[in-house]
Amino acid sequence: MSDDHHEEERPEFDPQHVDLPSKEPPLRSTAPQSDFTMSQVSTGAAVALVGLLLTFGVAFVLV
């Protein structure tokens, strides 16, 4: 049975001699920390308003 883990290519792990990566990982940006433009805020508000109108408008019409 063949596995794709390539065990023969992996060096043995030695906790006494840990080699750190040669370069830093890429910087990450998460939504709450990102800056927003007014265009993005306006688009989000419009989408939220349409969603609320559809949700409550359909419910109100059906009652």
Side-chain angles (χ1 to χ4, degrees):
M1 183 160 130
S2 168
D3 63 14
D4 293 330
H5 295 290
H6 306 289
E7 295 289 335
E8 66 277 354
E9 296 177 14
R10 293 183 183 176
E12 290 292 321
F13 179 70
D14 183 5
Q16 299 298 325
H17 299 93
V18 177
D19 293 328
L20 296 176
S22 60
K23 62 179 185 174
E24 293 183 20
L27 295 175
R28 296 183 342 168
S29 176
T30 56
Q33 297 168 345
S34 300
D35 292 332
F36 295 107
T37 64
M38 275 311 284
S39 173
Q40 292 171 322
V41 172
S42 300
T43 302
V47 168
L49 183 62
V50 168
L52 288 171
L53 286 174
L54 285 174
T55 301
F56 293 108
V58 170
F60 183 73
V61 168
L62 293 177
V63 170

